[in-house]
Amino acid sequence: TRHSAILLQSQVRRILAERRFREQRRAAVTLQACVRCVIACSRFQKQRQASICIQAAVRCHLQQQEFARQKSAAIKIQEWWRAHLKGREQWLAYNIQRGAVITIQAFWRGVRERGQYQRKRAAATCLQSRWRMVAAQRHFYHVKGAVVMLQRQWRGELARRRDMRERHEAAVMIQKHWRRRYAQQKYQSLVHNVVQMQRRWRANQLLMIAEREYHICRGAVITLQAAVRSFLAKQSYQRTRHSAILLQSQVRRILAERRFREQRRAAVTLQACVRC
C-alpha cells in the first residue's frame, strides 16, 4: 500500500506539475502576445507619425510652390499694369506736347506771315510814295518849263516865296516819312513784345494744365495701387486663415486619435490585469 501511495503521489505530483507547466506556458504565451502587440502598435504609431510628417512636409512644399507661382503671377500683372499706365501717361504727354507744338507753330507762322505782310505793305507804300513824288516832280518841272517864260518877270518875290514854300513842303515830306518809319518800327516792336508775352502766358497755361493732369493721373494710380494691394492682402489673409484652420483640424484629429489609443491601451492593460 505504501508503494501504491507513493506511485499515486508521484502521479498526482506529475499531473499537478504538468498542469502548472501548461498554465505557466499559457501565461508566457499570453504575455508574449501582449508584448508583441504593444511593440507592433508602437512601431505602427511611429510609422504612421513619420508618414504624417512626410505628408505635411510635401504639402508645405507644394503650398510654397503655389504661393511662389501666384506671387510671380501677381508681380507680372503689376509690371504689366505699371507699364500700361506709364505708356498711357507718355501717350497723353505726347499728345499734349504735340498739341502745344502745333499751336506754337501755327502762332509762329501767323506772326511770320503778318511780319511779311507788314514788310511788303511798307515796301509797297514806300514805292507808291516815291513814284508819286517822282511823278509830281516830273509834272512840276514840265509845268515849270511851260510857265518859265510867263513867270520870268515876276521871279523876284514870287520865286523867293515859291522857294520857301517848296523847302517847307520838302521838310514836311521828310518829317512825314521819318514819322511814318518811326511809327512802323515802334508798332513792330510793340507787336514783338506782345507776341513774346502771349507766348510766355500760353506756355505757363500749358505747364499748369500738364501739372494738373499729372497730379490727377498720379492720384488715380495711387488709388488703384492701394485697391490692388488691399485685394492681394485680403486674399493672402484668407489663404493663411484657411491653412491655419486645416492645420488646427489635423492637429486636433491627431491628438484625439492619440488620446483614444492611450485610453484603448489602458483599457486593454486593465482587462489583461483583470483576466490574469
Side-chain angles (χ1 to χ4, degrees):
T1 56
R2 183 179 179 184
H3 181 69
S4 299
I6 292 169
L7 290 174
L8 182 63
Q9 288 178 354
S10 62
Q11 291 294 328
V12 170
R13 289 173 181 173
R14 183 180 59 80
I15 292 170
L16 292 175
E18 289 178 355
R19 184 178 296 175
R20 190 179 303 109
F21 172 74
R22 285 195 296 271
E23 289 178 355
Q24 290 178 355
R25 184 180 179 184
R26 189 182 300 111
V29 169
T30 303
L31 182 61
Q32 288 178 354
C34 292
V35 171
R36 289 173 182 173
C37 180
V38 170
I39 292 171
C41 290
S42 178
R43 188 181 298 115
F44 171 74
Q45 291 297 327
K46 290 180 179 180
Q47 292 177 355
R48 189 171 183 275
Q49 187 68 26
S51 64
I52 290 171
C53 291
I54 293 170
Q55 288 178 355
V58 171
R59 288 173 183 172
C60 179
H61 180 68
L62 293 176
Q63 289 294 328
Q64 288 178 354
Q65 288 183 349
E66 181 67 19
F67 174 73
R69 186 182 65 80
Q70 292 180 359
K71 183 179 180 181
S72 177
I75 290 171
K76 289 181 179 179
I77 293 171
Q78 287 180 352
E79 290 177 353
W80 175 82
W81 180 249
R82 290 170 182 170
H84 175 69
L85 292 177
K86 187 175 181 180
R88 185 176 181 183
E89 181 179 356
Q90 291 179 355
W91 181 74
L92 291 174
Y94 167 73
N95 286 330
I96 293 171
Q97 291 179 358
R98 184 172 178 270
V101 169
I102 291 171
T103 303
I104 292 171
Q105 286 179 351
F107 176 75
W108 172 249
R109 287 172 184 170
V111 171
R112 186 178 61 187
E113 293 296 330
R114 283 195 294 271
Q116 291 179 358
Y117 170 73
Q118 293 293 334
R119 287 193 296 272
K120 289 179 181 180
R121 183 179 178 184
T125 303
C126 183
L127 289 174
Q128 287 178 357
S129 63
R130 300 263 179 126
W131 174 255
R132 288 173 184 174
M133 182 181 68
V134 171
Q137 287 178 355
R138 288 179 180 178
H139 180 68
F140 171 73
Y141 288 124
H142 180 71
V143 174
K144 182 180 179 182
V147 298
V148 164
M149 296 302 295
L150 296 175
Q151 293 178 349
R152 187 175 296 172
Q153 297 297 325
W154 305 94
R155 186 177 297 260
E157 186 66 24
L158 293 177
R160 284 191 300 270
R161 291 180 181 179
R162 187 172 58 250
D163 188 27
M164 291 297 294
R165 187 166 56 252
E166 288 177 358
R167 289 181 181 180
H168 180 69
E169 288 177 356
V172 170
M173 184 66 68
I174 292 171
Q175 289 178 356
K176 181 173 66 176
H177 284 293
W178 172 255
R179 289 172 182 172
R180 180 176 57 80
R181 183 64 178 173
Y182 178 75
Q184 288 178 355
Q185 290 180 355
K186 188 175 181 181
Y187 173 75
Q188 289 177 0
S189 177
L190 180 61
V191 169
H192 180 72
N193 293 329
V194 171
V195 168
Q196 292 294 329
M197 290 177 65
Q198 288 179 351
R199 187 179 301 169
R200 290 179 181 177
W201 184 79
R202 289 174 182 172
N204 291 328
Q205 291 294 322
L206 291 175
L207 181 62
M208 291 174 64
I209 292 171
E211 289 180 354
R212 190 180 302 113
E213 291 179 353
Y214 168 75
H215 288 301
I216 292 172
C217 293
R218 185 172 181 271
V221 168
I222 290 171
T223 304
L224 183 60
Q225 286 180 350
V228 171
R229 289 172 181 170
S230 176
F231 177 74
L232 293 176
K234 288 181 180 179
Q235 284 188 346
S236 177
Y237 171 73
Q238 292 294 331
R239 288 194 296 270
T240 305
R241 185 173 180 270
H242 183 67
S243 300
I245 291 171
L246 290 176
L247 183 62
Q248 288 178 356
S249 63
Q250 293 294 329
V251 171
R252 290 173 181 172
R253 183 179 60 80
I254 291 170
L255 292 175
E257 288 177 357
R258 185 178 297 174
R259 193 182 301 110
F260 172 74
R261 286 193 299 271
E262 290 176 356
Q263 292 177 359
R264 182 180 178 183
R265 191 180 301 111
V268 169
T269 304
L270 183 62
Q271 289 177 359
C273 293
V274 172
R275 289 173 183 175
C276 288

